[in-house]
């Protein structure tokens, strides 16, 4: 039997700490190169050695501690860890559209690939040039989300795309994050909550569903919370922008497009 080793996390979501008091209820769900997901009564608990994102319900470990980590062989000591809160901050007023245009133009200039199946030229049409004719199916879907926050055909979006977190799920999480920060997300959240409650068929991956359920509870990664704060305060923060954009394969890019789409919707205009 291996001796129990006490480890000190680099950081931990304060909402994850109570779960550590009942380790018998924690079970390994999935394991990847940089993350181990554990099933709990509050959703997936994410143990990772990636320090940039700080996910909701996350525990961030040093590389040496992460390699062979398990709750059976390790004891978590949180007294020295940085504690963060994954609950989205809320704001009293919308940002100025000019700061959003700065973020969008930077994004188009950087020319990052997305997983939504839409070109940057089409993104420019939707957000900057008001040219809404001759859009692809993907572009039309984004326009519908902008015009109607509680889009009825969410089942056609959830789970759409490849990966552990399909591209359109990442888009929706970005979209929800902005609405949540501005007290404007109840219709969309209720629709998603209703779909997951009544739908018998699996709409997306376990991990993506978990992140989406957390998002409708107002819980997001620190990278999303930071960029929303920058935008709401009318500040261009390249560090927070890159922290979102560079996450995963295209997950961060898809999330950013969702964020920009939600702001377009809130500002009651087809464009930023």
């Amino acid at each position: 039997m291996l001796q129990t080793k006490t480890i000190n996390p680099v950081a931990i979501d304060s909402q994850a700490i109570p779960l550590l008091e009942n380790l018998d209820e924690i079970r390994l769900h999935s394991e990847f190169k940089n993350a181990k997901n554990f099933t709990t009564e509050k959703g997936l608990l994410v143990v990772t050695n990636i320090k940039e994102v700080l996910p909701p319900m996350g525990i961030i470990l040093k590389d040496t501690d992460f390699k062979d980590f398990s709750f059976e062989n390790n004891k978590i000591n949180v007294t020295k860890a940085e504690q963060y809160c994954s609950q989205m901050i809320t704001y009293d007023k919308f940002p100025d559209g000019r700061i959003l245009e700065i973020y969008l133009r930077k994004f188009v200039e950087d020319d990052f690939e997305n997983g939504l199946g839409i070109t940057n030229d089409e993104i420019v049409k939707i957000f900057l040039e008001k040219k809404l004719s001759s859009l692809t199916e993907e572009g039309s879907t984004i326009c519908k989300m902008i015009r109607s926050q509680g889009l009825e055909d969410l089942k056609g979006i959830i789970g759409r795309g490849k990966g552990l977190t399909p591209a359109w799920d990442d888009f929706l999480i970005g979209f929800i994050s902005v609405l949540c920060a501005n007290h404007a997300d109840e219709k969309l959240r209720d629709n998603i909550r209703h779909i997951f409650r009544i739908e018998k068929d699996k709409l997306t991956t376990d991990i993506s569903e978990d992140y989406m359920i957390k998002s409708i509870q107002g819980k997001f990664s620190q990278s999303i919370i930071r960029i929303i704060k920058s935008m709401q305060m009318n500040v261009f923060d390249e560090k927070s922008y890159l922290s979102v954009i560079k996450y995963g394969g295209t997950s961060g890019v898809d999330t950013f497009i969702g964020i920009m789409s939600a702001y377009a919707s809130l500002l009651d205009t087809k464009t930023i």
Side-chain angles (χ1 to χ4, degrees), residues 40-268:
T40 77
E41 61 178 6
K42 298 294 185 181
L44 293 181
L45 177 64
V46 183
V47 178
T48 177
N49 61 347
I50 300 176
K51 304 173 180 64
E52 292 75 23
V53 177
L54 302 180
M57 296 292 287
I59 301 176
I60 291 75
L61 304 181
K62 298 176 183 176
D63 293 342
T64 51
D65 291 330
F66 174 79
K67 183 178 179 181
D68 298 314
F69 174 82
S70 71
F71 282 104
E72 290 82 5
N73 301 321
N74 295 114
K75 180 180 179 181
I76 300 288
N77 176 20
V78 302
T79 56
K80 297 181 180 180
E82 171 195 348
Q83 292 188 27
Y84 62 92
C85 179
S86 59
Q87 201 71 32
M88 177 60 74
I89 302 167
T90 55
Y91 300 87
D92 295 327
K93 62 180 181 179
F94 299 157
D96 190 313
R98 289 174 293 183
I99 193 65
L100 302 174
E101 185 173 340
I102 291 173
Y103 275 96
L104 187 60
R105 289 192 182 279
K106 173 62 174 171
F107 172 73
V108 172
E109 176 186 319
D110 289 341
D111 196 28
F112 287 106
E113 180 183 358
N114 65 76
L116 302 172
I118 185 172
T119 66
N120 283 340
D121 286 343
E122 191 163 11
I123 291 173
V124 169
K125 287 182 181 180
I126 295 170
F127 291 111
L128 297 179
E129 297 180 2
K130 300 184 180 181
K131 295 180 180 179
L132 303 182
S133 60
S134 304
L135 294 179
T136 62
E137 179 184 354
E138 291 76 16
S140 296
T141 298
I142 291 176
C143 283
K144 289 177 182 177
M145 284 296 297
I146 291 173
R147 292 170 180 168
S148 176
Q149 296 173 7
L151 185 66
E152 294 181 3
D153 189 25
L154 283 172
K155 286 199 294 184
I157 296 179
I158 296 173
R160 189 166 150 190
K162 298 179 181 179
L164 287 171
T165 56
W168 284 92
D169 292 3
D170 293 322
F171 172 91
L172 282 171
I173 288 171
F175 202 102
I176 294 167
S177 70
V178 173
L179 302 185
C180 182
N182 288 277
H183 310 280
D185 61 332
E186 286 305 319
K187 184 177 180 182
L188 181 59
R189 286 201 297 179
D190 285 346
N191 284 354
I192 293 175
R193 188 181 291 112
H194 179 69
I195 287 172
F196 281 129
R197 185 170 60 244
I198 69 169
E199 188 64 33
K200 295 180 180 179
D201 297 329
K202 193 75 173 173
L203 296 177
T204 188
T205 65
D206 286 349
I207 293 174
S208 191
E209 180 177 335
D210 179 75
Y211 274 111
M212 195 167 297
I213 289 173
K214 287 173 181 171
S215 74
I216 64 178
Q217 296 171 346
K219 300 173 184 176
F220 302 89
S221 70
Q222 294 301 289
S223 59
I224 292 176
I225 290 175
R226 285 193 294 261
I227 194 172
I228 296 298
K229 180 179 180 180
S230 298
M231 291 174 166
Q232 294 286 155
M233 301 300 291
N234 296 311
V235 173
F236 176 74
D237 182 355
E238 187 169 14
K239 183 177 179 180
S240 65
Y241 161 76
L242 291 175
S243 179
V244 170
I245 290 291
K246 293 188 174 182
Y247 178 69
T250 64
S251 288
V253 176
D254 304 329
T255 301
F256 181 82
I257 296 173
I259 288 171
M260 298 307 296
S261 298
Y263 275 123
S265 179
L266 285 185
L267 295 175
D268 194 28

